[in-house]
Each structure stands twice: as C-alpha cells, then as structure tokens.
RNA sequence: GGCGGGGUAGCCAAGUGGUAAGGUCGGGGUCUGCAAAACCUCUAUUCGCGGGUUCGAUUCCCGCCCCCGCCUCCA
C-alpha cells in the first residue's frame, strides 16, 4: 500500500508523492520552539509526531531533509531578556541548549538544520522577501512604519484554515495598531522599532525594526529547502494565522505552490484541559523527568495516540507507558539470551507494522501489531525457541525500533549490585530464603530489580529508578 | 457566529456494510520457597443520542447532544 497522509490543505487523505522526480528525496520543514522558556510536553508531542513521520519515511526508503527553526526574537523573548536584564542572545542561548538536550532525551532525530531567526543571513533573506512583496504590491508600509501583508491581494488567503476573510473577527488579541492597517487581517512582515524592543533591532529599507514571526519561516524554509517543499508540519494552532501567512508570503514571492502536504497534530491536553500555569497542569519535559519518568517513557506516552486525535496526558498514562515498555524490555532480554548462540538469522517476513504507519501514521494499529507479535514470540520462548529464530525476532524488532526508538539505553550493572546478587545466589543455594529476600530488598532499594528464573537470577534496572 | 478535531470497556485506543485489534488496570489459573516475569483465561450483546437506507450499521445518510481547539504572533 502506498503512503497516505491527511493534508490539512485539502482536508482529505492523499497518496504521498514527493516533488523529487526520482521519488526519493523529501523536503520537510517543521516549526520549532520559541526559545523564551523550556519547551513543554505539548510542544514535544508535535516534535515527536514529526519525528515519527521522518523515521517512517526513512524506513520506507525516502531520504528526508528536515529543517526546524528556532524563534529567538519575538515579543516573548524580548520581554524575557529585558526582565532578566540580559542581551537577547544571552537570554535565549540557555533555552536553545536545553531544547537540544530535551530532543536528545526524547530520541528525536536531529534536523539537518536548526536555523535561528536572528542569524544575519536569514534576516537579510527576510528583508529581501519583504522587498519583493512590496514590489508586487502584496505588502505596504503603514503609518506606524511597520510593513504589512495586504491579504486582499492574495486570493488564496484563508484557504488553508478555511476561513472567509469577511468572517474574521477580532478576539481582542490584536494590538491597537490595527488602525494603521488597510485590513484588520493584514499581518506584520516587519515590525518598526519601539521602546519596548530596547536594543533589539536591525536596519532595513523601512527603518529600524525586527521581522514579523511568519516571515521567518518563509525565508528560512526557502533559503534552506527551496521555494517548494514536500511536507510542512506543526501543531493545529499554527494553521492560522502562521501557516496561512507562510503560504501568502512564500507563494507571493515565488508564484509556486509552497507546500505539497500540510500536516498538523492535535493538541495535548493535561487532565482533560489545556495546559496552563494557573491550573497547575503545565509541565515541561524536565518536570516529568523530575517525577522519576524516563525520556523513553515520555516518548511512548506522547507517541501512542494518533497525531490528529487530542491526547490527554495523565500520570496514569505515564505508568501505562512504563508497564508497556517494561514488557518490551523483558521480551528483548529473553530474546537476546536465546539468540546468543545463533549462527544465522532467517528473516521474519512481516511488514504489518510499517503498513499500519503507511496509513496516515496509524500508530495504534502499528503498536497493536507489535504487541501481538510480542505475545506470539513470548509463547515461542516459553516453548523453547531456536537461537536462529530468536535472532530473527530481534532483527525484526530492530527494524521497527528504528522508527519507534523505544529501546532502553544499555546500562552496566554496578559492581556493588553484582556483589549483592552473588551473595543472594549463595543464600539461595543454601535455601536461606530470609537472607535471599533481604538481599532482594537491598537491591531494589538501589534502583535495581532481581527476579528468579529457571536459569537463575536476572538483574535489571528498575523502571523509574 | 464561522472553521476544524474528537466521542468505542475502569482508563488509553484501533477498526470494518456482516456482527468489536491492542495497551493498561482488575479477577482466576500455570510456574515459583515467596515474589517477579511470561503464558493461559475472564471483563463492551455493544461503539454519544434519535431517525433513515439495508437482509444486516459501530461503520453510509439526516438531525441533535457533549468535549477540545482555532478565528491575527500558542505545537
């Protein structure tokens, strides 16, 4: 079955066909974080969805070139840097660093490029684009010195969000600068400097100022991937106005279709509600890790629901993730043990996992199949499996895990734990059950677990420890 | 008001015009000194509600209800 994705632009599921005539290279642009604070788990739901998409495309033989931008200049970063009494770059640098650490923790593949909005070459690219839009009368400088996009001159404006311009109504989030605009819906391409901006400004043909948010993505996507890209992702809240604006800007300059497939993931809810600091349900990745959960557990919890369905984050869900991963770990441990003596490995012909993902990333069906296979192979293990067969199952898993990235990080059992385990073995040989149980408790207290099997003790890292 | 997404077991969730995957929790069992793990087994006569089409609908059509989101810088 061919790859099929839901395209927000057409609101239908479409067969995936990249621009590349050879049908192999895929250009992907993903909206990244605004680095004014630590990214929260809702942000990471989107990045993990994008990661799943990239990894599955790669599993299907595509070569993905992905760009993720970092917004390091906007109202929030400027406000934050002023509050912290730091230069803008000094203020955003630690958040950029933290973001990359979090990406690593969650096993999200690094994009090929992480352009930042303040890089001179991109500011120059943004200015060049705005000049072009003005030349084409798609933009104008208003009384307030800012430059705005003239949405009435771009007939497709509103198509992505399915908004009728006449229906747009103010929600009170607009600044009072709308008096200067020709249409309330006109959005800023270049924002004229004002006192609130402090020393954050660039010279431009329209005077000192800074780029609008939307132009950043159009310019960086074009600079790094070209005028046309295959897939552009983000959260549903980016559909309007951000992605709508990107289309207007990019196509206003190039005259070509900017993006073939628009893909958006639904929101993450926490305890059934939108995350907000006032409700106390706002979590960064760091908050969740502090509660004792691992990055892979968070990854599992955030990836397991289809990207277009709202995902409700709960601690119960985190525990469910822990259990499910523990089962996978134990399955792999048993397979590894049985496969040790294998000299060859026949292939297990089973592509159902990937076939499920072909269907608009149906992760639930894919995981359902994985667990069915785990049960099947566990039965084989119980019956006594051939080493080659165990090796074949491991190879099958490795293919799948290149997409899921669920495997635990290998960790050496520390010497003191090994020592305790050895003492316990002796106690057990002496049938000293009391001492055996005490040693088990001691091992568990140090974050490890010990189980007795027919082949003797098995020591593993305890989940959450 | 306009535009989306979603309503399937205690919780999470897939799915099909032909009678409900999977995960997790809980009960029972095999195994075990105990435990753990694994396996076996049980847990939705039913898919938000009401109509309609059909031999047959959770799935298609119509109407309604509820939840979440977007409607100018939130992933």
């Amino acid at each position: 079955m061919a790859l099929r994705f839901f395209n927000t632009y057409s609101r239908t599921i479409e067969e995936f066909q990249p621009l590349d005539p050879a049908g192999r290279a895929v250009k992907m642009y993903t909206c990244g974080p605004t680095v004014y604070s630590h990214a929260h788990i809702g942000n990471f739901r989107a990045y993990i969805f994008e990661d799943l998409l990239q990894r599955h495309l790669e599993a299907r033989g595509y070569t993905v070139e992905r760009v993720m931008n970092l917004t390091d200049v906007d109202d929030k970063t400027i406000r934050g840097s002023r509050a912290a009494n730091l230069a803008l770059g000094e203020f955003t640098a630690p958040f950029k660093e933290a973001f990359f650490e979090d990406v690593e923790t969650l096993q999200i593949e690094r994009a090929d490029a992480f352009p930042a909005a303040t890089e001179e070459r991109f500011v120059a690219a943004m200015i060049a684009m705005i000049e072009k839009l003005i030349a084409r009368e798609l933009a104008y400088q208003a009384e307030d010195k800012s430059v705005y996009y003239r949405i009435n001159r771009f007939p497709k404006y509103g198509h992505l969000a399915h908004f009728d311009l006449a229906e747009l109504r103010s929600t009170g989030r607009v600044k009072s600068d709308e008096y200067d605009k020709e249409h309330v819906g006109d959005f800023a391409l270049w924002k004229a400097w004002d006192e609130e901006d402090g020393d954050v400004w660039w010279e431009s043909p329209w005077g000192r100022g800074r780029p609008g948010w939307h132009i950043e993505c159009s310019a960086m996507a074009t600079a790094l991937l070209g005028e046309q890209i295959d897939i552009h992702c983000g959260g549903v809240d980016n559909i309007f106005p951000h992605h709508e604006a990107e289309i207007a800007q990019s196509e206003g300059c190039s005259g070509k279709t900017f993006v073939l497939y628009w893909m958006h993931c639904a929101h993450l809810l926490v305890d059934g509600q939108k995350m907000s600091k006032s409700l106390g349900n706002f979590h960064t990745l760091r908050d969740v890790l502090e509660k004792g959960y691992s990055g892979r557990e968070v990854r599992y919890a955030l990836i397991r629901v289809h990207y277009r369905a709202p995902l409700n984050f709960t601690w119960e869900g985190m525990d469910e993730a822990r259990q499910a991963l523990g089962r996978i770990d134990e399955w792999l441990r048993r397979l590894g043990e049985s496969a040790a003596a294998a000299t060859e490995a026949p292939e297990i012909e089973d592509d159902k996992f990937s076939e499920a993902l072909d269907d608009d990333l149906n992760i639930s069906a894919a995981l359902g199949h994985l667990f069915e296979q785990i049960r099947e192979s566990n039965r084989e293990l119980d019956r006594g499996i051939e080493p080659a067969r165990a090796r074949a199952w491991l190879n099958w898993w490795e293919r799948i895990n290149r997409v899921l990235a669920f495997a635990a990080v290998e960790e050496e059992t520390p010497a003191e734990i090994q020592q305790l385990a050895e003492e316990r073995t002796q106690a057990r040989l002496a049938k000293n059950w009391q001492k055996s149980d005490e040693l088990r408790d001691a091992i568990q207290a140090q974050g490890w677990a010990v189980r007795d099997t027919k082949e003797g003790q098995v020591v593993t890292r305890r989940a959450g420890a």
Side-chain angles (χ1 to χ4, degrees), chain A residues 51 55 104-108 294-300 303 321-322 324-333 353 367 370-371 374 394 396-411 461:
Chain A
D51 184 54
R55 286 171 180 270
E104 174 72 25
T105 300
L106 293 173
Q107 293 289 296
I108 294 169
S294 62
R296 62 199 283 260
E297 287 167 345
V298 178
R299 181 176 171 92
Y300 184 97
I303 211 171
R322 168 167 298 175
L325 285 171
R327 203 167 140 210
I328 293 173
D329 292 345
E330 176 62 11
W331 171 66
L332 292 172
R333 191 196 62 74
F353 177 86
L367 289 177
L370 167 65
F371 282 105
I374 286 176
L394 284 172
W396 178 81
W397 160 255
E398 274 162 26
R399 274 208 314 276
I400 284 172
N401 191 51
R402 276 201 285 275
V403 174
L404 293 176
F406 281 169
V409 184
E410 294 282 335
E411 193 176 358
R461 191 78 168 121

Side-chain angles (χ1 to χ4, degrees), chain A residues 162 205 246 267 284 309 333 358 455:
Chain A
H162 289 208
E246 282 187 51
H267 269 274
T284 63
R333 191 196 62 74
D358 285 346
E455 292 78 36

Side-chain angles (χ1 to χ4, degrees), chain A residues 199-239:
Chain A
D199 60 358
V200 178
W201 51 265
W202 286 263
E203 286 293 353
S204 82
W206 317 285
R208 286 180 179 184
R210 60 184 166 100
W213 176 41
H214 313 302
I215 193 70
E216 165 192 328
C217 286
S218 281
M220 298 195 286
T222 305
L224 296 166
L225 296 172
E227 290 176 333
Q228 297 192 281
I229 60 184
D230 295 295
I231 302 175
H232 191 130
C233 307
V236 284
D237 47 357
N238 272 164
I239 296 171

Side-chain angles (χ1 to χ4, degrees), chain A residues 281-343:
Chain A
N281 65 350
F282 187 94
H283 307 300
T284 63
L285 174 61
R286 280 132 204 270
D287 295 334
V288 180
L289 298 180
E290 269 174 32
K291 296 236 182 192
Y293 293 97
S294 62
R296 62 199 283 260
E297 287 167 345
V298 178
R299 181 176 171 92
Y300 184 97
L302 296 184
I303 211 171
R304 69 196 233 273
V305 173
H306 184 86
Y307 74 93
R308 278 192 292 122
L311 193 171
N312 191 21
F313 178 89
T314 60
W315 297 109
E316 197 181 358
M318 285 306 302
D319 290 336
E320 186 182 323
R322 168 167 298 175
Q323 285 304 121
L325 285 171
R327 203 167 140 210
I328 293 173
D329 292 345
E330 176 62 11
W331 171 66
L332 292 172
R333 191 196 62 74
R334 293 180 78 195
L335 283 175
E337 209 169 68
S338 298
T343 51

Side-chain angles (χ1 to χ4, degrees), chain A residues 53-66:
Chain A
L53 174 60
Q54 173 170 11
R55 286 171 180 270
H56 184 246
L57 285 166
E58 286 168 350
R60 282 310 197 201
Y62 293 100
T63 307
V64 179
E65 183 180 4
R66 182 162 67 93

Side-chain angles (χ1 to χ4, degrees), chain A residues 124-138:
Chain A
M126 293 179 224
I127 289 172
M129 266 186 122
I130 297 168
E131 284 185 306
K132 203 164 184 177
L133 291 171
I134 290 175
R136 296 186 175 185
E137 298 185 350
L138 285 165

